[in-house]
Amino acid sequence: MSELQELQKSIAEELKALNDRIDCALKSPNLLLNSIIGNYLSVRGKQVRPIVVMLSAKIASGHVNAKAIEGGAAVELLHNASLIHDDVVDDSKERRGRKTVNALWDNHIAVLVGDYFTTTALNCAIGTNELKIIDSICRLGQKLSLGELDQIHNARCNLLSEEAYMQVIERKTASLFVACAEIGCNAVGASEDTIKKLSDFALLLGLCFQIRDDIFDYFTSDGNTVGKPTGNDLREGKVTLPLIHVLLQKALPDNDKMLKLCSADQLSEPEIETLIEYAKNNGGIDYAREKMKDLQNAAEKILDTFPESAAREQMRHLLSYVVTRSY
């Protein structure tokens, strides 16, 4: 059993309550919408983010209450809304081996379904009766949109810098994890110091999550089945950390040629393969893994400031899973 499966098992009751709440919140009088949602929810994701909500609540107070479940449902719904909308923006036909909403129906319907998920997320946030949780969800929606726009801007302007990359993944990915920590803490009335520390931890966790995800793009199989096509990011005009790092090494052979390739409006499959091999052969993957390890170590130090508890160790296992996961 994997670390994630162990975690899911340890909070199975809370996860069931979360999924029951999501299912109930999404019910509508529209038969088409219900059919689409039923198909979409037939396979649940890893639900790493609501797990962060629950573990944050447990670290802060020792328990998960109804507000944490409602807040966890809100963030999971908003996360899924962002995925549905991202698939429209990227014209993605598959996500983790399953057809996307826009592929099964069309972009028009997918946008509307994503909007329905978004407004349902807001309703769940309001259901907590906690202004701080509502604020977390609203700020999260802003950051997710900004992150996507930052990524589009960087691609169009051929902006290649580690700082720009880190800003994008902080907004597009890590902001979700930060919101989860805030929601879990505020659901149980945690102190400002606890909220700050767990939010800082969640930021590092989210950055690790995205860097690990970006590394997958450079391997057909990183020793396992990763569930996404090699080079998919490059096909969508996204240059991620492993390649950014080597492109910034001006002394490397063929650097100018590779930079010119990255500025092309569209890459051929051989060009994508060339860039992938260039990143792998010049230390880009090793650099990304080292960066992730540094972030993991910083996150571990934050966890160490909390009293020993089962929830603290479960959060440590979640961090380990995120860094070492194979899909």
Side-chain angles (χ1 to χ4, degrees):
M1 189 177 289
S2 71
E3 285 180 300
L4 181 63
Q5 289 171 326
E6 290 281 1
L7 273 173
Q8 291 168 333
K9 184 178 178 181
S10 70
I11 55 171
E13 185 178 337
E14 291 91 341
L15 281 175
K16 183 181 184 305
L18 173 101
N19 287 316
D20 288 347
R21 181 67 191 104
I22 288 172
D23 292 345
C24 181
L26 286 171
K27 283 182 180 176
S28 83
N30 185 283
L31 295 179
L32 173 61
L33 179 60
N34 289 339
S35 174
I36 295 168
I37 289 172
N39 178 73
Y40 184 84
L41 295 180
S42 63
V43 177
R44 307 282 179 174
K46 295 183 285 291
Q47 299 194 312
V48 170
R49 293 153 192 86
I51 289 173
V52 173
V53 174
M54 295 172 196
L55 293 183
S56 295
K58 284 191 171 186
I59 289 172
S61 70
H63 70 282
V64 174
N65 60 12
K67 287 183 180 180
I69 297 296
E70 193 82 14
V75 77
E76 184 72 348
L77 284 162
L78 189 56
H79 169 54
N80 279 279
S82 73
L83 296 181
I84 293 168
H85 284 156
D86 281 354
D87 288 336
V88 173
V89 171
D90 297 333
D91 195 27
S92 299
K93 302 305 179 186
E94 284 193 359
R95 178 176 289 276
R96 297 298 187 239
R98 299 187 74 222
K99 287 189 176 181
T100 57
V101 175
N102 51 298
L104 286 170
W105 284 274
D106 58 37
N107 284 346
H108 185 190
I109 288 177
V111 168
L112 292 172
V113 172
D115 290 346
Y116 187 74
F117 270 71
T118 300
T119 51
T120 305
L122 292 172
N123 275 332
C124 285
I126 291 167
T128 66
N129 289 315
E130 287 287 343
L131 282 176
K132 289 182 179 179
I133 291 177
I134 297 168
D135 179 60
S136 289
I137 290 292
C138 291
R139 283 187 290 109
L140 173 59
Q142 290 178 317
K143 287 182 179 180
L144 292 174
S145 299
L146 281 172
E148 186 66 33
L149 287 165
D150 283 342
Q151 187 166 265
I152 292 169
H153 171 77
N154 293 350
R156 290 183 177 179
C157 297
N158 298 314
L159 180 57
L160 295 173
S161 78
E162 186 172 325
E163 181 181 5
Y165 166 81
M166 294 300 290
Q167 178 175 284
V168 166
I169 69 170
E170 179 176 339
R171 288 175 172 169
K172 276 202 69 177
T173 302
S175 63
L176 269 158
F177 289 81
V178 173
C180 288
E182 291 174 350
I183 289 167
C185 288
N186 283 314
V188 296
S191 69
E192 289 301 319
D193 179 60
T194 295
I195 295 170
K196 174 68 166 61
K197 288 195 294 185
L198 280 172
S199 295
D200 288 346
F201 167 83
L203 173 64
L204 297 167
L205 177 68
L207 294 175
C208 286
F209 188 96
Q210 188 58 56
I211 293 172
R212 182 64 181 155
D213 210 51
D214 290 341
I215 289 171
F216 290 151
D217 203 53
Y218 294 81
F219 295 91
T220 303
S221 177
D222 191 13
N224 293 278
T225 302
V226 300
K228 76 184 226 183
T230 306
N232 210 46
D233 289 336
L234 286 169
R235 285 185 196 90
E236 296 172 358
K238 303 169 188 174
V239 183
T240 55
L241 186 59
L243 184 55
I244 288 171
H245 174 70
V246 299
L247 289 174
L248 294 176
Q249 311 307 308
K250 302 298 184 184
L252 285 175
D254 297 322
N255 183 265
D256 289 342
K257 177 183 175 182
M258 298 301 152
L259 282 169
K260 187 176 180 180
L261 268 185
C262 282
S263 66
D265 290 335
Q266 190 169 357
L267 292 168
S268 67
E269 290 303 309
E271 288 170 338
I272 290 171
E273 185 61 31
T274 295
L275 287 168
I276 288 172
E277 290 305 310
Y278 189 69
K280 290 165 70 173
N281 294 337
N282 289 285
I285 306 299
D286 291 338
Y287 177 80
R289 285 175 172 151
E290 288 170 11
K291 182 78 174 181
M292 190 169 53
K293 187 64 179 177
D294 289 342
L295 295 168
Q296 180 185 12
N297 289 338
E300 292 268 10
K301 289 179 181 177
I302 294 173
L303 281 183
D304 288 340
T305 66
F306 289 98
E308 185 176 346
S309 68
R312 188 190 74 169
E313 295 315 302
Q314 286 170 334
M315 192 75 95
R316 198 185 304 278
H317 287 311
L318 181 63
L319 175 62
S320 173
Y321 161 76
V322 162
V323 171
T324 61
R325 65 196 172 97
S326 57
Y327 65 99

